C-alpha cells in the first residue's frame, strides 16, 4: 500500500535554509505535493512536482525529487519566522484520485 | 471567492450526542473531500465525492459516520452517536476535478466529552 513518511520536527535559525525530507513508497506516484498548515488553519498548497521532474524552484522554495530512492525534499531559503508551520508531503499514487499525506513536519524558526 | 466554508469552527458535545459538520465547497468545484486530523493518526481521508456522488468511503471509520452531498454547494458529515475518540479536527476540501489541487477549509475542531 501507499505510505508517506516524514521527520516530525525541524528547528532552524532565522535566515538559514530549511530542508524538509519525505519518503514515499508508491513508485507509480504521478504528482508529489508540499502543503503548509499554519496554526488553526487548513492546509495550503505550497508547490508540487510531477514525477518526471527532478527539481522545481519557486522563489524561496526548491523541491528535489529522487525517484529512484522515492525521496522528496523541500528547501526553504532564507527561512523567516512566518515560515513556522507544519509542512505535509503528499503523493497522488498512480491510478488513485486521493492524496496520501505524511504525518507532517513541524518547522520552528528561532532568532 | 470565499474559499471552502466549514461550520461550526468549534463543536463541543457529550458522548452519545449526534454531531453534524457542514461544508460549502468553492463554487464550480466538482470534487469534495472530508479529512480527519489527529495527533495520533495524522491526516486521514474519510470520504470523497465527485459531482455529488460518493466515490470512495473506505476511510470512514465505522457505521457511526455518514456523509452526504445533496447538491453541488453543500455537504455534511454526521457522527451518531459520537464518542470521545472522535475528537479531532475535521477538514473539508474541494477541487475543480478529482486530479486537481485541493483547497482546504479552516476545519472544525470537534471535542467529545
Amino acid at each position: 500500500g501507499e505510505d508517506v513518511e516524514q521527520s516530525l520536527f525541524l528547528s532552524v535559525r532565522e535566515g538559514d535554509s530549511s530542508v524538509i525530507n519525505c519518503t514515499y513508497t508508491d513508485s507509480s506516484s504521478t504528482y508529489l505535493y508540499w502543503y503548509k498548515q499554519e496554526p488553526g488553519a487548513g492546509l495550503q498548497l505550497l508547490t508540487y512536482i510531477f514525477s518526471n521532474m527532478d527539481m522545481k524552484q519557486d522563489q524561496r522554495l526548491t523541491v528535489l525529487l529522487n525517484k529512484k530512492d522515492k525521496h522528496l525534499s523541500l528547501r526553504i531559503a532564507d527561512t523567516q519566522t512566518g515560515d513556522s508551520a507544519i509542512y505535509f508531503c503528499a503523493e497522488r499514487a498512480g491510478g488513485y484520485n486521493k492524496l496520501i499525506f505524511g504525518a507532517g513536519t513541524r518547522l520552528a524558526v528561532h532568532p | 471567492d470565499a474559499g471552502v466554508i466549514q461550520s461550526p469552527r468549534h463543536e463541543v458535545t457529550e458522548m452519545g450526542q449526534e454531531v453534524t459538520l457542514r461544508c460549502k465547497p468553492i463554487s464550480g468545484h466538482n470534487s469534495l473531500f472530508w479529512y480527519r486530523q489527529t495527533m495520533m493518526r495524522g491526516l486521514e481521508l474519510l470520504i470523497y465525492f465527485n459531482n455529488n456522488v460518493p466515490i470512495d468511503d473506505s476511510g470512514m471509520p465505522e457505521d457511526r459516520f455518514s456523509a452526504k452531498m445533496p447538491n453541488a454547494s453543500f455537504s455534511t458529515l454526521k457522527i451518531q452517536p459520537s464518542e470521545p475518540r472522535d475528537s479531532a479536527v475535521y477538514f473539508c476540501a474541494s477541487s475543480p476535478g478529482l486530479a486537481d489541487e485541493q483547497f482546504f477549509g479552516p476545519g472544525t475542531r470537534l471535542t467529545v466529552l
Side-chain angles (χ1 to χ4, degrees):
Chain A
E2 317 89 20
D3 192 22
V4 177
E5 293 191 355
Q6 305 176 237
S7 53
L8 294 182
F9 189 74
L10 177 66
S11 178
V12 299
R13 191 185 303 275
E14 190 175 11
D16 288 351
S17 293
S18 307
V19 179
I20 302 171
N21 295 302
C22 168
T23 58
Y24 59 98
T25 56
D26 192 332
S27 58
S28 64
S29 291
T30 53
Y31 287 92
L32 295 127
Y33 303 82
W34 285 104
Y35 279 82
K36 177 183 180 182
Q37 184 181 30
E38 297 183 352
L43 279 69
Q44 178 185 11
L45 180 65
L46 271 183
T47 187
Y48 65 92
I49 189 168
F50 188 51
S51 58
N52 67 354
M53 298 170 63
D54 298 324
M55 186 182 84
K56 180 178 180 180
Q57 187 151 3
D58 183 2
Q59 298 182 332
R60 292 190 298 121
L61 305 179
T62 303
V63 178
L64 294 178
L65 175 60
N66 182 328
K67 199 172 179 183
K68 173 177 172 288
D69 294 338
K70 299 188 190 70
H71 182 266
L72 182 74
S73 68
L74 173 69
R75 179 176 179 269
I76 306 173
D78 187 24
T79 312
Q80 303 297 307
T81 55
D83 296 323
S84 295
I86 301 175
Y87 291 81
F88 290 89
C89 169
E91 64 168 344
R92 184 182 298 281
Y96 290 92
N97 293 316
K98 59 185 181 182
L99 299 179
I100 308 298
F101 285 87
T105 299
R106 183 178 295 274
L107 175 64
V109 183
H110 56 88
Chain B
D1 198 313
V4 175
I5 298 173
Q6 291 187 247
S7 64
R9 292 295 312 275
H10 301 273
E11 175 81 31
V12 180
T13 190
E14 292 186 343
M15 182 175 63
Q17 296 297 305
E18 177 179 297
V19 174
T20 300
L21 311 181
R22 297 173 175 80
C23 175
K24 177 176 166 48
I26 293 173
S27 177
H29 283 192
N30 294 316
S31 303
L32 184 141
F33 305 78
W34 281 102
Y35 292 88
R36 176 172 70 175
Q37 185 179 36
T38 61
M39 288 292 291
M40 291 296 295
R41 300 175 70 92
L43 194 65
E44 305 171 275
L45 176 65
L46 301 177
I47 185 172
Y48 65 95
F49 296 81
N50 193 49
N51 294 323
N52 313 338
V53 176
I55 303 300
D56 184 350
D57 65 354
S58 60
M60 297 285 261
E62 46 197 279
D63 292 345
R64 297 184 297 106
F65 286 70
S66 62
K68 294 182 180 180
M69 192 163 187
N71 57 62
S73 59
F74 184 66
S75 177
T76 59
L77 177 68
K78 185 176 293 187
I79 309 172
Q80 165 64 13
S82 58
E83 297 182 4
R85 61 194 169 117
D86 302 330
S87 297
V89 180
Y90 290 81
F91 288 104
C92 175
S94 72
S95 61
L98 281 174
D100 297 321
E101 174 189 349
Q102 295 179 22
F103 294 81
F104 281 73
T108 295
R109 181 174 294 277
L110 173 65
T111 303
V112 183
L113 303 174

